[in-house]
Amino acid sequence: MPIDFTLTSYQRRLQRVAREFANEILQPLVRAADEDPDPQRAFQSIKGAYIESYKLGFATGFIPKKYGGGGISNLDLQIVVEELTAVDPGFATILLVNGLALMPLVWFASEKQKQAWLPRATSDPRGEYLAGWTVSEAAGTPGGTAGFDGPAQYPAGIALTATHDRKNGEYILNGRKYWPVNAGGWDLQGADVNVCIVRTEPKQGGARGLSAIIVPRGTPGVSYERPIAKLGHRLCQNNSVVFTDVRVGEENAFAIGDGDLVINKAFTWSGPVAAIAAVGVARSAYEYALDWAKKYTGGGDVPIINHQIVAYTLAEVAMKIEAGRAFAWKAAHYHDLHDANGHAVGPMAKVFCSEMLFTAVYQSMKVVGVNALDRAHPLERYLREAAVFPLYDAGNIGMQMRKICAVMAHADFDPRAIASSSATPFGKIAPPPTDVQVVGRNLKRQA
């Protein structure tokens, strides 16, 4: 089958609609929201743009048509996300997190649960529907999200407990989440739903003791603190959420004992999306620097692009962007072939593109020179956004690289599988030993 990067007429239409929305509706709001010192007020200020994006299908387009979504492919999603993130990646993250929260229902929930929750997400007459992917516990807990699949004897991983009250048919949640996006909702009274990863078996490790549970807005015992003030991605809301004796019906629980698989697949699905988001930001930085270089003379007699060092620097950035886009599209295509089970190629694309982004933005800043530090220009913001990408969406070091290595270490892994778009193995596997464990074993042998 021939390889063809030509967009279809449908994809060109998607691109045009997304670009018009980003430039005409979102762009005028970005600067003021980014500079607002109050993160909740900044988040609320783009609510109107979010409603318009919901009407266009961007907020739930990835959900199957059977449940009222757009049913768009992972590759089609790439077209939309690049245009949105070229204007602001924080806004696009709000939409991405709807997918992180709701796609696990598509993959793991019962048909009854899907029918109960997904049509609500796709048919909100207000256009305000938000879903929270309430997983992260990176602060205020003994461990943190990155150790979610660790063994039971280590105080790491998911600490939000869900005790099964069988007599009353409920789970009782206690604990805290830190960093989830959308969780607090527009009014800090909660998203329409929060899809939480919880510890249902406290004596089991992360590969057996985790589950997913849906916590609807208005559930008693959940409190939302003021959003975290962040370096970048300031248009999206990151919360601290406290659960105190929160009772949720057991019919809201799914993937019992398989919460680790939910986490792995969700962050695999989002890998190509985060990758193309990085490409979008890099594209904007490059295009700004290119335009500058074609007009700015620096006191000379010709624009600075006529100097070899400037032209070469911009050429290097352009090459990195094209390589990143091809990688993101490849990973998205792989997901379309294998039901988002690209547990190696998805993270690879995310890591590659997010690490590329920071260098691309900084090289663009060097072309513009000291003027790039002036906040009247957008490059300072692009650099702040670039700092976010390697750290969020399952951080590159904490989670994504570990997942790539776990796939590669599998006895059935074929190193040529990704090139041929063949399936790669992944399942419940023990996490690789930590450096501390390795040292401990070596000392034991020496003794």
Side-chain angles (χ1 to χ4, degrees), residues 385-443:
E385 301 293 8
V388 175
F389 278 79
L391 310 179
Y392 92 141
D393 194 56
N396 292 358
I397 292 176
M399 294 176 70
Q400 297 289 28
M401 287 298 292
R402 285 179 56 227
K403 186 157 41 170
I404 296 167
C405 294
V407 175
M408 293 170 59
H410 197 286
D412 297 329
F413 175 68
D414 177 0
R416 300 180 185 177
I418 295 172
S420 62
S421 293
S422 303
T424 49
F426 190 83
K428 281 185 176 290
I429 53 178
T434 65
D435 294 340
V436 173
Q437 287 174 292
V438 172
V439 170
R441 289 173 189 170
N442 290 340
L443 289 174

Side-chain angles (χ1 to χ4, degrees), residues 5 27 64 75 102 203 250 274 355 361 373 382 400 427 445:
F5 288 93
Q27 178 72 66
L75 193 52
L102 298 173
K203 295 182 180 180
E250 59 187 12
E355 299 292 346
V361 173
L373 303 178
Y382 297 147
Q400 297 289 28
R445 292 191 190 102

Side-chain angles (χ1 to χ4, degrees), residues 66-387:
K66 179 180 179 181
Y67 307 108
I72 67 171
S73 68
N74 289 284
L75 193 52
D76 291 341
L77 184 58
Q78 297 276 296
I79 308 301
V80 173
V81 171
E82 182 177 342
E83 297 306 318
L84 300 183
T85 53
V87 171
D88 189 81
F91 179 87
T93 298
I94 303 170
L95 311 182
L96 162 68
V97 168
N98 281 340
L100 281 168
L102 298 173
M103 290 305 291
L105 275 74
V106 174
W107 299 318
F108 295 97
S110 68
E111 186 60 30
K112 184 177 180 180
Q113 289 171 320
K114 293 174 188 177
Q115 292 291 350
W117 296 103
L118 294 175
R120 301 185 195 186
T122 58
S123 60
D124 180 6
R126 308 163 302 159
E128 300 176 6
Y129 190 96
L130 285 175
W133 172 233
T134 311
V135 178
S136 299
E137 300 185 11
T141 59
T145 321
F148 73 93
D149 53 357
Q153 64 265 36
Y154 295 100
I158 302 300
L160 175 61
T161 59
T163 305
H164 195 182
D165 180 357
R166 288 180 171 81
K167 180 180 178 181
N168 292 302
E170 296 175 322
Y171 282 93
I172 306 171
L173 279 60
N174 280 285
R176 184 187 185 199
K177 293 290 187 181
Y178 199 84
W179 279 112
V181 175
N182 294 351
W186 299 111
D187 57 1
L188 282 184
Q189 297 301 307
D192 292 87
V193 295
N194 273 296
V195 177
C196 304
I197 299 298
V198 298
R199 186 170 292 279
T200 45
E201 294 291 342
K203 295 182 180 180
Q204 295 287 335
R208 292 288 183 271
L210 305 182
S211 305
I213 196 162
I214 304 162
V215 180
R217 176 181 168 89
T219 302
V222 187
S223 59
Y224 304 90
E225 300 175 358
R226 296 296 293 179
I228 301 163
K230 310 186 299 295
L231 174 75
H233 279 45
R234 293 184 58 82
L235 271 65
C236 67
Q237 175 201 71
N238 292 83
N239 298 95
S240 174
V241 187
V242 178
F243 299 79
T244 306
D245 294 331
V246 176
R247 288 183 171 271
V248 181
E250 59 187 12
E251 68 275 8
N252 286 16
F254 65 98
I256 306 298
D258 287 331
D260 60 318
L261 298 183
V262 177
I263 294 172
N264 276 317
K265 186 158 184 174
F267 283 129
T268 291
W269 172 83
S270 66
V273 185
I276 201 65
V279 170
V281 177
R283 186 187 90 183
S284 289
Y286 159 70
E287 290 178 354
Y288 191 88
L290 177 64
D291 183 67
W292 175 277
K294 287 182 175 181
K295 296 175 180 177
Y296 182 69
T297 65
D301 56 353
V302 295
I304 62 173
I305 197 169
N306 290 282
H307 298 294
Q308 190 178 70
I309 184 61
V310 173
Y312 277 22
T313 299
L314 288 169
E316 287 180 6
V317 174
M319 288 186 283
K320 290 173 181 175
I321 291 169
E322 291 302 320
R325 183 181 292 111
F327 202 165
W329 285 9
K330 162 73 177 185
H333 174 64
Y334 188 101
H335 277 11
D336 285 330
L337 293 176
H338 299 290
D339 189 31
N341 283 312
H343 292 281
V345 70
M348 283 178 178
K350 191 266 178 174
V351 171
F352 179 88
C353 292
S354 62
E355 299 292 346
M356 170 276 292
L357 170 59
F358 197 91
T359 302
V361 173
Y362 193 60
Q363 284 181 294
S364 298
M365 293 180 77
K366 288 195 289 185
V367 167
V368 175
V370 71
N371 290 296
L373 303 178
D374 185 345
R375 298 188 72 180
H377 303 285
L379 290 166
E380 175 266 348
R381 181 169 67 87
Y382 297 147
L383 189 67
R384 287 189 286 110
E385 301 293 8

